[in-house]
Each structure stands twice: as C-alpha cells, then as structure tokens.
Amino acid sequence: MSAPSAIFPGTHGTEPDDNAIGWGNLFSGVPAVLQDERIECLAASADTRILRIVSIGHVTPPGTWYDQPDTEWVVLLQGQATLRFEREGLRALQPGDFLTIPAGCRHRVEWTSSHPAAIWLAVHYPTG
C-alpha cells in the first residue's frame, strides 16, 4: 500500500491541523478509473489513523501479504470485495460488512468491484 495522503477529501487542499475542523464526504471525489488504489488519511493521532481507501478493481500484488503491526478495523461502505486470510481463507464483503483484523494477521485483497468502486473506511490502532 502506498503512504496515505495528509489531505482531507473535500477540503480543497487544506492541510489538516489540530485547530482546523476537518470535513468532507466519504463518497465524493471518486474517479471512474484509478491506476493505483487511493488511500487518504482522514484523521490521525500519535498511534491511531483513520483512512478512506478507494479500490477500483485493485488487488494485493501476487505473493504479497499485509502483516501489520497494529490492529485494523475496516468497514466496506460501497461496492464489494473479497479478502483472503492466511489462516481462515476467503471472506466476501458487501456494503456495511466490517472486520477487526488483529495485528500480525496475514491477509490480502483478492478482488474489489469496479462499478461501483469499493470504498473502505479503515481505523488502525495499537493492540492492547
């Protein structure tokens, strides 16, 4: 995954800071085509990040697994997706489905819809 941007969607390029009100719409600014999956940081603290991820047919590259140091809570807001977990196999997701992925749980994105785009909200936080 690429590094998340530090711009709130819908803020017209305003950089977030501790004194600004961040605003946007989770469904705005979704192009019809993306070369790479789009990952945007909506809010963050020293140890927690809230991300919007837009996947338009994007998958994890072959042979690659995500093995993250933090716990990830993720909800699919729009579209469909299939995740593969190394120990549990495939899990198909529909809008509204959410998961808590423990730190160190190897997983990958096997499939995401293109029409509509898969829009995710992910929260990364430390375990414990």
Side-chain angles (χ1 to χ4, degrees):
M1 272 187 189
S2 59
S5 70
I7 297 175
F8 289 96
T11 58
H12 309 287
T14 303
E15 292 292 327
D17 64 46
D18 291 338
N19 297 317
I21 296 173
W23 63 273
N25 183 295
L26 294 171
F27 301 103
S28 70
V30 177
V33 177
L34 279 174
Q35 182 174 352
D36 296 314
E37 188 171 57
R38 181 177 289 175
I39 303 169
E40 299 164 311
C41 186
L42 303 178
S45 69
D47 59 3
T48 302
R49 294 179 297 139
I50 301 172
L51 308 174
R52 178 181 87 153
I53 304 168
V54 178
S55 306
I56 304 176
H58 296 98
V59 299
T60 306
T64 302
W65 291 89
Y66 296 118
D67 186 354
Q68 300 162 165
D70 292 325
T71 298
E72 178 180 8
W73 181 88
V74 63
V75 61
L76 185 65
L77 301 173
Q78 173 183 291
Q80 292 87 37
T82 302
L83 300 180
R84 179 179 299 277
F85 293 89
E86 185 176 51
R87 293 184 181 176
E88 297 178 23
L90 294 174
R91 175 98 29 121
L93 301 174
Q94 300 295 320
D97 289 344
F98 64 89
L99 308 160
T100 300
I101 304 170
C105 178
R106 287 171 48 103
H107 63 286
R108 49 183 287 110
V109 178
E110 289 287 315
W111 176 82
T112 59
S113 59
S114 296
H115 302 287
I119 300 177
W120 315 74
L121 187 65
V123 180
H124 293 259
Y125 59 93
T127 302

